[in-house]
């Protein structure tokens, strides 16, 4: 994509907290990264995981635990959460890639439910309460992530915001690089025609597993960052609702496009926040939007736009 | 004794009591174009799936260059130099023809697991990819979307992609199926070109193509060999005429 578009997006990201409520913006970024990680698997490898919340949520718990109970600095906590999610991705992926299509999705869902159950019952996760009051701490032991700056009368937690933005950019860059790498080319081949990729001599299971691990780790990075933003790891993070939400975000925005998950996550999170007053009806409204999307523009917002412009976005 | 690049011994495959392939002893000589023909349901594609490990044989052995490869995985056999095509055209539809061929060339670079590198490092393969596309007459379509190409061109692209891997043995599953006369001629020429310095085993229904290309023919019927030999001999065999063409002499 055009270099100018990238620069414009980065500048927008840097200026956003001065315009939008920063905590809302950070939530957007976390879920956008989550959706981007998911899209690496669905859009570029053709694997539908129905249990991605397991990686998002478990990283959130691990980071929360490391920072709150072990007193690690936030960047080490996030690193720990991300690595754990990658490891969990290796275990889940090794089991799931033996099956294809709907069975693959069912295996990931089942294993994610096990993770949910552990989160509910294990002593170190806080059960129904979750991990509360996770301290944000000092980045590298130096920069206070709680620090609030007053800009034209508004208190802004800029240190935390820019930390989250940096994590998002790092995750985005890793995913983008993976898609546009020699490895990514083989992934596309597998998505397009798996038997042919095998007959060209590619051991597709290894490629799928590696893609799964990268995707899980990046979903973990999103979850880990989220736990610092809200100072909370809860059952919602590992629940199947969250797994479903990320599917919804990716499909709404446009599966297999670079910017689609970003747009999808922004849409869903914004709707959830703007419509929070209607209570549980929100699920119905988002469901309705999803139905319209599938019926009218199947490729998602960005997917349809890309088709109109005849270029990949 | 002639040297066999591929040999099967008593190869059998049963599907729930139905034997699709029965005690097949097939020998492909090095440098030959060997055709596998037979009526529908004779087990030709099953044989291909067995040879390329997409199916596991019930009994019997498969030897490639004298090495037992019966228990290997599909990707392993491909790495040994046995590359197959499929009955339905096997292309990557949403990539360009150039990317299709490049994906095959890429394997030898050893960078296929490198997710941290830019795919610009594959640009150096573009020259060779264009050469291969040119050799099958697709150079001018290199940047199109493969899925939108005409059927005959997809088959040609498939051959170019297969050739990119420099296979020792090519397995072609009905390369001219569903084509008009002109495309059939083109593909026949391509297969002939491709057969230089390598062996080819092909399933083919078009007997004219078989007559032009094949050094040796094996006729299958109900999973077993009915007749074998050069075209002139096999085509006169009364059992073949009856089974394959429905002619009663």
């Amino acid at each position: 994509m055009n270099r100018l578009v990238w620069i414009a997006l980065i500048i927008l990201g840097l200026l956003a907290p001065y315009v939008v409520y920063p905590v809302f913006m950070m939530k957007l970024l976390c879920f956008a990264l989550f959706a981007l990680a998911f899209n690496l698997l669905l859009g570029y490898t053709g694997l539908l995981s129905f249990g991605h919340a397991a990686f998002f949520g478990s990283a959130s718990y691990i980071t929360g635990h490391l920072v709150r109970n072990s007193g690690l600095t936030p960047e080490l906590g996030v690193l720990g959460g991300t690595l754990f999610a990658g490891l969990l991705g290796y275990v889940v992926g090794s089991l799931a890639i033996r099956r294809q299509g709907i069975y693959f999705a069912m295996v990931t869902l089942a294993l994610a439910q096990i993770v949910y159950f552990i989160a509910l019952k294990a002593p170190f996760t806080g059960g129904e309460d979750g991990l509360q009051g996770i301290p944000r701490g000092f980045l590298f032991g130096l920069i206070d992530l709680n620090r609030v700056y007053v800009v034209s009368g508004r208190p802004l937690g800029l240190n935390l915001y820019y930390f989250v933005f940096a994590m998002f950019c790092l995750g985005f860059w890793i995913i983008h690089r993976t898609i546009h790498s020699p490895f990514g080319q083989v992934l596309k081949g597998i998505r397009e025609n798996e038997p042919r990729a095998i007959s060209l001599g590619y051991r597709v299971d290894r490629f799928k597993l590696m893609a799964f691990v990268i995707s899980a780790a990046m979903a973990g990075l999103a979850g880990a960052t989220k736990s610092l933003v809200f100072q909370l790891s809860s059952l919602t993070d590992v629940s199947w609702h969250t797994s479903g939400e990320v599917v919804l975000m990716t499909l709404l925005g446009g599966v297999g496009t670079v910017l689609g998950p970003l747009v999808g996550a922004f849409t869903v999170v914004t709707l959830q926040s703007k419509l929070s007053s209607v209570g549980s009806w929100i699920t119905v409204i988002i469901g309705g939007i999803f139905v319209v999307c599938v019926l009218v523009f199947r490729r998602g917002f960005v997917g349809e736009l890309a088709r109109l412009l005849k270029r990949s976005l | 004794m002639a040297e066999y690049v591929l040999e099967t011994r008593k190869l059998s495959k049963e599907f729930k009591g139905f034997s699709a392939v029965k005690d097949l002893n097939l020998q492909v000589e090095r440098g030959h174009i060997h055709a596998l023909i037979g009526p529908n349901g004779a087990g030709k594609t099953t044989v291909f799936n067995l040879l390329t490990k997409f199916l596991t044989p019930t009994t019997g052995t498969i030897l490639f260059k004298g090495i037992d490869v019966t228990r290997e995985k599909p990707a392993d056999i491909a790495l040994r130099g046995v590359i197959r095509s499929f009955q339905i055209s096997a292309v990557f539809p949403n990539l360009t023809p150039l990317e299709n061929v490049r994906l095959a060339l890429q394997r030898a670079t050893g960078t296929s697991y490198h997710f941290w590198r830019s795919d610009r490092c594959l640009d150096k393969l573009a020259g060779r990819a264009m050469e291969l596309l040119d050799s099958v007459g697709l150079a001018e379509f290199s940047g199109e979307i493969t899925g939108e190409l005409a059927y005959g061109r997809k088959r040609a692209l498939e051959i170019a992609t297969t050739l990119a891997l420099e296979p020792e043995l090519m397995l072609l599953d009905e390369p001219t199926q569903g084509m008009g006369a002109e495309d059939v001629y083109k593909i026949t020429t391509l297969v002939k070109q491709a057969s230089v310095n390598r062996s080819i085993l092909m399933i083919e229904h078009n007997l004219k193509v078989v007559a032009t290309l094949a050094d040796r023919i094996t006729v299958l019927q109900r999973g077993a060999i009915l007749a074998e030999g050069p075209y002139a001999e096999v085509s006169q065999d009364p059992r073949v005429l009856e089974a394959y063409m429905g002619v009663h002499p």
Side-chain angles (χ1 to χ4, degrees):
Chain A
M1 217 176 1
N2 200 318
R3 191 170 289 260
L4 285 173
V5 177
W6 289 122
I7 295 170
L9 283 175
I10 290 172
I11 292 175
L12 269 179
L14 289 172
L15 295 179
Y18 297 96
V19 187
V20 190
Y21 179 50
V23 174
F24 173 69
M25 193 62 207
M26 289 186 279
K27 187 181 178 189
L28 282 184
L29 289 176
C30 291
F31 277 95
L33 181 56
F34 186 26
L36 284 161
F38 177 78
N39 187 41
L40 173 66
L41 217 48
L42 180 61
Y44 292 93
T45 322
L47 296 175
L48 171 60
S49 158
F50 223 89
H52 248 46
F55 312 119
F56 183 80
S58 61
S60 162
Y61 276 114
I62 295 292
T63 304
H65 208 77
L66 288 176
V67 174
R68 196 182 72 163
N69 299 19
S70 311
L72 260 59
T73 50
E75 76 285 354
L76 290 177
V78 168
L79 183 68
T82 307
L83 289 178
F84 181 82
L87 201 67
L88 187 63
Y90 182 81
V91 175
V92 173
S94 304
L95 292 168
I97 54 166
R98 295 156 188 256
R99 293 287 172 270
Q100 293 184 329
I102 188 76
Y103 303 104
F104 175 88
M106 295 313 288
V107 173
T108 54
L109 175 61
L111 293 172
Q113 287 304 98
I114 294 176
V115 174
Y116 177 85
F117 188 73
I118 293 170
L120 180 66
K121 294 290 178 191
F124 62 89
T125 58
E128 301 269 2
D129 299 331
L131 294 180
Q132 296 184 1
I134 298 167
R136 288 167 180 161
F138 291 78
L139 186 61
F140 305 116
L142 296 170
I143 305 164
D144 183 3
L145 290 181
N146 274 318
R147 180 144 180 210
V148 174
Y149 298 83
V150 179
V151 181
S152 52
R154 287 173 65 212
L156 300 178
L158 290 180
N159 284 358
L160 182 65
Y161 177 80
Y162 288 121
F163 171 68
V164 172
F165 187 62
M167 289 299 113
F168 171 80
C169 288
L170 174 71
F172 194 156
W173 181 79
I174 291 174
I175 292 164
H176 191 257
R177 176 33 46 97
T178 305
I179 292 168
H180 298 280
S181 69
F183 175 72
Q185 282 293 319
V186 180
L187 291 187
K188 281 174 220 164
I190 294 170
R191 176 193 68 187
E192 299 275 301
N193 192 336
E194 187 173 329
R196 181 57 167 166
I198 295 171
S199 79
L200 293 183
Y202 290 111
R203 295 189 167 98
V204 297
D205 281 358
R206 289 192 197 172
F207 285 87
K208 284 181 179 178
L209 182 57
M210 228 167 108
F212 200 94
V213 171
I214 296 172
S215 172
M218 290 304 107
L221 178 60
T225 313
K226 198 231 95 181
S227 73
L228 291 179
V229 173
F230 291 96
Q231 305 187 286
L232 171 73
S233 312
S234 71
L235 285 174
T236 317
D237 298 342
V238 279
S239 79
W240 61 272
H241 275 116
T242 308
S243 292
E245 236 163 53
V246 75
V247 180
L248 185 73
M249 289 171 184
T250 310
L251 292 181
L252 267 184
V255 69
T257 61
V258 177
L259 293 177
L262 205 68
V263 174
F266 277 35
T267 311
V268 172
V269 174
T270 310
L271 280 173
Q272 281 173 344
S273 130
K274 297 286 171 202
L275 299 175
S276 54
S277 55
V278 299
S280 50
W281 278 100
I282 185 155
T283 320
V284 178
I285 295 172
I286 291 182
I289 294 174
F290 186 56
V291 170
V292 171
C293 168
V294 170
L295 291 176
V296 182
F297 40 95
R298 206 172 271 203
R299 291 176 181 83
F301 300 133
V302 177
E304 292 293 337
L305 189 67
R307 196 168 65 106
L308 286 177
L309 300 173
K310 292 203 173 197
R311 51 184 298 194
S312 64
L313 290 174
Chain B
M1 193 180 120
E3 195 195 349
Y4 300 126
V5 66
L6 185 78
E7 201 181 345
T8 71
R9 290 182 189 156
K10 289 191 153 296
L11 191 66
S12 301
K13 177 68 185 175
E14 282 180 24
F15 296 106
K16 292 186 179 157
F18 166 73
S19 26
V21 175
K22 234 179 335 202
D23 288 338
L24 181 74
N25 295 309
L26 184 73
Q27 284 124 1
V28 180
E29 264 182 57
R30 183 178 292 279
H32 265 188
I33 298 182
H34 195 122
L36 198 57
I37 66 171
N40 284 331
K44 305 181 296 288
T45 298
T46 307
V47 171
F48 259 39
N49 283 335
L50 289 171
L51 293 178
T52 50
K53 326 310 303 170
F54 279 74
L55 286 175
T56 313
T58 314
T59 54
T61 33
I62 301 168
L63 303 173
F64 176 64
K65 295 195 290 183
I67 305 162
D68 187 346
V69 295
T70 320
R71 299 285 150 209
E72 291 192 354
K73 293 209 168 94
D76 299 331
I77 196 102
L79 291 170
R80 285 190 184 274
V82 182
I83 308 292
R84 73 172 294 180
S85 77
F86 292 82
Q87 207 163 0
I88 342 149
S89 71
V91 291
F92 303 110
N94 288 311
L95 305 181
T96 67
L98 184 75
E99 286 169 329
N100 265 267
V101 177
R102 202 179 61 185
L103 199 55
L105 290 171
Q106 185 189 328
R107 206 190 72 195
T109 65
T111 59
S112 295
Y113 288 103
H114 294 187
F115 64 87
W116 56 89
R117 282 172 74 159
S118 166
D119 53 11
R120 257 169 274 157
C121 72
L122 300 173
D123 287 352
K124 61 177 187 289
L125 302 173
R128 176 74 185 126
M130 281 307 285
E131 259 175 51
L132 284 159
L133 285 176
D134 196 36
S135 72
V136 298
L138 288 176
E140 57 182 308
F141 302 103
S142 66
E144 310 263 319
I145 297 294
T146 301
E148 291 167 8
L149 294 181
Y151 183 70
R153 297 205 171 107
K154 280 186 197 151
R155 300 303 313 232
L157 174 61
E158 206 183 316
I159 292 179
T161 310
T162 305
L163 286 175
L165 293 167
E166 307 278 348
E168 270 195 77
L169 174 64
M170 269 169 94
L171 303 179
L172 303 174
D173 195 349
E174 301 196 34
T176 68
Q177 188 213 29
M179 283 185 189
E182 196 184 327
D183 279 339
V184 169
Y185 175 75
K186 264 191 214 151
I187 295 292
T188 310
T189 321
L190 286 178
V191 172
K192 188 79 203 159
Q193 272 173 26
S195 70
V196 178
N197 294 326
R198 60 173 58 89
S199 321
I200 292 177
L201 176 64
M202 64 192 286
I203 296 174
E204 185 54 66
H205 274 304
N206 188 327
L207 288 182
K208 220 175 121 193
V209 176
V210 173
T212 323
L213 287 176
D215 298 299
R216 201 172 169 79
I217 294 165
T218 300
V219 187
L220 276 191
Q221 191 190 24
R222 293 193 203 102
I225 293 177
L226 182 68
E228 199 169 40
Y231 183 78
E233 203 178 289
V234 169
S235 62
Q236 297 309 316
D237 191 315
R239 290 169 308 170
V240 174
L241 290 174
E242 186 185 340
Y244 190 59
M245 286 172 272
V247 181
H248 298 274

